[in-house]
Amino acid sequence: MIQLHGFTGSGNCYKPALAMRQLGIPYQWHEVDILRGESRTPAFLAKNPNGRIPLLEVEPGRYLAESNAMLGYLADGTALLPADRWARAKVYEWLFFEQYSHEPYIATIRFWTTIENSVERHRDRIAEMRPRGHAALAVMERQLAQTPFLTGADYTIADIALFAYTHVAHEGGFDLGPYPAVRNWLGNVMDTPGFVPMQDCCG
Amino acid sequence: MIQLHGFTGSGNCYKPALAMRQLGIPYQWHEVDILRGESRTPAFLAKNPNGRIPLLEVEPGRYLAESNAMLGYLADGTALLPADRWARAKVYEWLFFEQYSHEPYIATIRFWTTIENSVERHRDRIAEMRPRGHAALAVMERQLAQTPFLTGADYTIADIALFAYTHVAHEGGFDLGPYPAVRNWLGNVMDTPGFVPMQDCCG
């Protein structure tokens, strides 16, 4: 059985968990307390030299890091990742957008706000980062005003990747009020077959 | 013919350019001067709402953003991206590593140092970011001490993605002296068939 090494409350860990639930792939969860440095121990670094969670152990000793690489691996050959070359490229476009333009702002501010409780120490950085998070939401809004899911009519791992931190963006003080299409899309994702909330599949 | 909208000197733009040269795919370069805001004009935003280069126009009006999504698209079905599901996942693991753990530190410090000339203004941020860039190089070193290319014996788009900013890391003040395997790998990449230096395929 696949082993998922993760931290409760991490949107990045929620991504492979949700994909596996919706694809009917059983897995076991192993908690890694990143606040206690458990992702930087020699034992963990031997599994993932980059010292980050989530980490997917697809069979004993065979590890895959990077949440969005996991999504591509898990969804390969399923309806969550189209076989058509161009359609697949557009899914990956959103996956890279998520890791470069969305997660570093929206997830990081949420982490400092509700997980690490370090908002005071990061006040200046948050002021710099907040507009970039809103810029990412605006890019999503522009697309989702036109299509029910990020790449068009169909739900894919692009939606799973962006849902992970967008649905908890308010925990970092992001008001989704100005993004009606994004709010509507959150509902579309929650209505997909086999959808499971974060707290029910992580930890 | 494919159109590549890019900025001379950008490693992210070098990635698809190098891949296309090595795959024998002809393209035309269109310079976008990001220092003059040309990636944030209404005309450009209509092509890429995220306002970034590179931007690949695979046919008139059909656009793909995100350099590493371009690599996956261009290399699909070629030796630069293995067909095997697990091998492909490991390539994407490095592509996401590059955009999350490498580029934001190594490319950004280089941009401030040699392109924007804004080191003074970013001195505190650079001090915070420098160790993270070295951490990324150390992850690469650990792998490349074992294999000639990042995913093993074969050259893939993972190597193209990481080469782009690693080979100019010194322009941001990163000394590659402590990373002999990384330095050796830079040579391995430059020895691959059809390799073209950045200045010869961008701009």
Side-chain angles (χ1 to χ4, degrees):
Chain A
M1 189 186 294
I2 288 181
Q3 313 292 316
L4 176 55
H5 303 264
F7 177 68
T8 297
S10 158
N12 283 328
C13 298
Y14 180 34
K15 295 175 195 173
L18 177 56
M20 287 192 283
R21 285 297 194 97
Q22 293 195 292
L23 290 167
I25 300 171
Y27 64 91
Q28 281 188 320
W29 177 275
H30 296 266
E31 186 74 13
V32 179
D33 189 343
I34 59 173
L35 298 178
R36 293 179 176 228
E38 289 181 4
S39 58
R40 304 294 167 115
T41 64
F44 192 87
L45 290 170
K47 299 171 182 169
N48 179 11
N50 201 28
R52 294 181 191 277
I53 47 89
L55 184 64
L56 199 70
E57 189 173 2
V58 299
E59 53 187 69
R62 207 177 204 197
Y63 297 99
L64 185 65
E66 301 294 336
S67 58
N68 289 355
M70 294 173 200
L71 288 178
Y73 174 74
L74 293 164
D76 203 22
T78 79
L80 291 181
L81 179 59
D84 173 75
R85 183 184 173 203
W86 179 252
R88 199 164 59 242
K90 298 301 281 185
V91 169
Y92 275 104
E93 181 184 56
W94 282 108
L95 296 184
F96 286 107
F97 166 85
E98 192 269 339
Q99 284 288 284
Y100 195 84
S101 298
H102 184 285
E103 201 269 11
Y105 309 110
I106 292 175
T108 302
I109 294 176
R110 169 181 176 260
F111 181 81
W112 289 337
T113 305
T114 64
I115 297 179
E116 203 183 54
N117 291 314
S118 59
V119 162
E120 281 305 320
R121 180 154 54 89
H122 293 105
R123 191 160 295 281
D124 292 347
R125 286 287 295 137
I126 290 173
E128 273 179 36
M129 290 159 63
R130 175 90 52 205
R132 297 184 183 206
H134 279 290
L137 293 167
V139 170
M140 295 173 67
E141 179 72 13
R142 186 162 167 161
Q143 178 63 45
L144 292 166
Q146 300 169 60
T147 54
F149 294 106
L150 285 166
T151 56
D154 298 323
Y155 176 62
T156 72
I157 53 173
D159 301 290
I160 292 179
L162 270 303
F163 182 84
Y165 285 108
T166 305
H167 90 291
V168 290
H170 61 277
E171 296 179 9
F174 285 95
D175 173 16
L176 295 185
Y179 309 105
V182 170
R183 284 186 282 116
N184 186 61
W185 162 81
L186 291 176
N188 292 346
V189 172
M190 289 187 278
D191 285 343
T192 57
F195 174 83
V196 180
M198 183 154 71
Q199 66 271 19
D200 294 344
C201 60
C202 299
Chain B
M1 189 187 294
I2 289 182
Q3 313 293 315
L4 175 55
H5 303 264
F7 177 67
T8 297
S10 157
N12 283 328
C13 297
Y14 181 34
K15 296 175 196 172
L18 176 56
M20 287 192 282
R21 284 296 194 98
Q22 293 195 292
L23 291 167
I25 300 170
Y27 64 91
Q28 280 187 321
W29 177 275
H30 295 267
E31 186 73 14
V32 179
D33 189 344
I34 58 173
L35 299 178
R36 292 179 177 226
E38 289 180 6
S39 58
R40 304 295 166 114
T41 63
F44 191 87
L45 291 170
K47 300 170 182 171
N48 179 11
N50 201 26
R52 294 182 191 276
I53 47 89
L55 184 64
L56 199 70
E57 190 174 0
V58 300
E59 52 186 69
R62 206 175 205 197
Y63 297 100
L64 185 65
E66 300 295 336
S67 58
N68 289 355
M70 292 172 202
L71 288 179
Y73 173 75
L74 293 166
D76 205 21
T78 80
L80 290 181
L81 181 58
D84 174 76
R85 182 185 174 203
W86 178 253
R88 200 164 57 242
K90 297 301 280 186
V91 169
Y92 275 105
E93 181 184 56
W94 282 108
L95 296 184
F96 286 108
F97 165 84
E98 192 268 341
Q99 284 287 285
Y100 195 84
S101 297
H102 184 286
E103 201 269 9
Y105 309 110
I106 293 175
T108 302
I109 294 176
R110 169 181 175 261
F111 181 80
W112 290 336
T113 305
T114 65
I115 297 178
E116 204 184 53
N117 292 314
S118 59
V119 163
E120 281 306 319
R121 181 154 53 90
H122 293 106
R123 191 160 295 280
D124 292 349
R125 285 288 294 136
I126 290 173
E128 274 179 36
M129 290 159 64
R130 174 93 49 206
R132 298 185 181 203
H134 280 291
L137 293 168
V139 170
M140 294 173 68
E141 179 72 13
R142 186 162 168 162
Q143 179 63 44
L144 293 167
Q146 302 169 57
T147 54
F149 294 106
L150 286 165
T151 57
D154 298 322
Y155 176 62
T156 72
I157 53 173
D159 301 291
I160 293 179
L162 270 304
F163 182 84
Y165 284 109
T166 305
H167 90 291
V168 290
H170 61 279
E171 296 180 8
F174 285 95
D175 173 15
L176 296 186
Y179 310 103
V182 170
R183 285 186 283 118
N184 186 63
W185 163 81
L186 291 177
N188 293 346
V189 173
M190 289 188 276
D191 286 342
T192 57
F195 174 83
V196 179
M198 182 154 71
Q199 66 270 21
D200 294 344
C201 61
C202 299

